[in-house]
Amino acid sequence: MADAGGWSTIESDEGLFTSLIETLGVKDTQFEELISLDADTIRSLGSVYGVIFLFKWTRETTTAHTSAPLDGTYDQTAPDNLFFAAQTIQNACGTQAILSVILNHDNPPAPTPPIPLGDELRSFKDFTTGFPPELRGEALSNSEAIRSAHNSFARASPFSDETARPQDDEKGADVYHFIAYTPVNGTLYELDGLQPYPISHGECGMGEFPEKVIEVLQRRIARYPPEETHFNLMAVVRDPRGRAREIGDAETLEREERKRAAWQWENTLRRHNFVGFIGEVMKGVVGSKEKDGGYEEWVEGAKRETRKKLEMRR
């Protein structure tokens, strides 16, 4: 893959992903983290457009550019209205998986409500219509608007280059990857930019999606060792606040507004570097201890507590 080209790493977080798509102009859509792998949980979220799956990438459990995927079949004649882009840079795989769901549901079959894309993503989708996956990937990597929105949610760090990421073949490095699962034109697709084609998992309508995708995910997770737990799953859903306002559900509306406020606070904290602040606090504490003459006793007490914790762990 090409150089990251100024794309920073971002966290896998429902509030961050929701704010990211809203920054790009998407409306009435949000992300919900799924803490249990069952169809009823997905179905309880209302209109679900797809899921974003985060997993640890390993050569043993993932194939790319082979004659056939480990599960499902390559769709080499995918419909023209299916948005699928090859991944040309590393750090954008989260945003690419998000767009793989969002851009495929601006005109879903009734009664599923469409996702309002906004001017920026509408223009991007129209511009890339008819492009092969490689050109779509290049167009995505070169989109200043999408890159700027993506990078605005990178965690601040004074110690590392956020555009750098361990290479796949670096010994001992854990590399994580995002992919999307979504039903399009009556077919359940796995959209992974590291694969040469979209992967079809058979017939699947919007109503069947919760059961169908859980079966696929269970087979995928089963390929990992039993002790592997580094997975994250998020659903792309209709913003429940609109429905709550329509039916006068004050309780749901209040709960969702509190959740949005918490997301906004967390995203604000991500953008700030607190290292300097922490350093000043530490200097103030040390200075206070030295002034009171209790510095040595304080340090020795901390050492004793550390040794005690180490002994308990042993």
Side-chain angles (χ1 to χ4, degrees), residues 42-270:
I42 297 178
R43 198 175 295 282
S44 69
L45 298 174
S47 297
V48 179
Y49 300 101
V51 298
I52 307 297
F53 184 54
L54 170 67
F55 59 96
K56 186 161 70 174
W57 189 94
T58 64
R59 288 183 174 84
E60 292 74 19
T61 58
T62 309
T63 58
H65 300 279
T66 60
S67 58
L70 294 177
D71 190 22
T73 57
Y74 285 135
D75 189 347
Q76 300 186 35
T77 58
D80 292 337
N81 66 332
L82 175 69
F83 179 87
F84 174 70
Q87 184 177 325
T88 61
I89 50 177
Q90 290 178 319
N91 295 350
C93 63
T95 295
Q96 183 159 333
I98 291 170
L99 296 181
S100 292
V101 176
I102 299 295
L103 295 181
N104 278 307
H105 289 282
D106 57 321
N107 187 29
T112 304
I115 294 179
L117 296 183
D119 294 340
E120 192 63 53
L121 290 185
R122 169 55 60 195
S123 175
F124 175 78
K125 183 175 182 180
D126 290 345
F127 173 70
T128 58
T129 296
F131 282 16
E134 293 76 16
L135 279 183
R136 275 185 173 152
E138 289 295 332
L140 173 58
S141 67
N142 292 319
S143 170
E144 181 61 33
I146 297 175
R147 181 169 59 237
S148 295
H150 170 102
N151 286 346
S152 69
F153 292 94
R155 183 178 292 278
S157 172
F159 301 120
S160 62
D161 177 5
E162 291 288 352
T163 65
R165 181 175 174 178
Q167 297 301 307
D168 293 356
D169 57 355
E170 184 178 335
K171 185 176 181 180
D174 287 339
V175 178
Y176 294 89
H177 185 51
F178 294 88
I179 59 175
Y181 291 93
T182 186
V184 181
N185 296 337
T187 299
L188 173 56
Y189 281 105
E190 176 183 330
L191 303 177
D192 178 357
L194 295 181
Q195 301 289 344
Y197 308 101
I199 296 175
S200 168
H201 290 283
E203 295 183 1
C204 177
M206 296 296 289
E208 305 168 281
F209 176 69
E211 285 79 14
K212 294 280 189 178
V213 75
I214 290 299
E215 293 174 3
V216 175
L217 288 169
Q218 287 175 338
R219 292 197 299 268
R220 185 178 196 112
I221 293 173
R223 298 204 295 264
Y224 284 81
E227 64 273 12
E228 177 58 57
T229 59
H230 293 86
F231 303 105
N232 182 260
L233 185 65
M234 276 186 283
V236 188
V237 304
R238 189 74 169 174
D239 185 344
R241 294 180 299 172
R243 177 61 176 167
R245 293 189 185 100
E246 290 177 5
I247 64 176
D249 186 351
E251 182 179 353
T252 296
L253 184 59
E254 182 181 359
R255 183 182 67 248
E256 291 298 320
E257 292 292 358
R258 284 199 306 268
K259 183 165 64 177
R260 289 292 182 123
W263 287 350
Q264 184 177 7
W265 172 246
E266 291 166 1
N267 288 332
T268 300
L269 294 179
R270 284 187 178 94

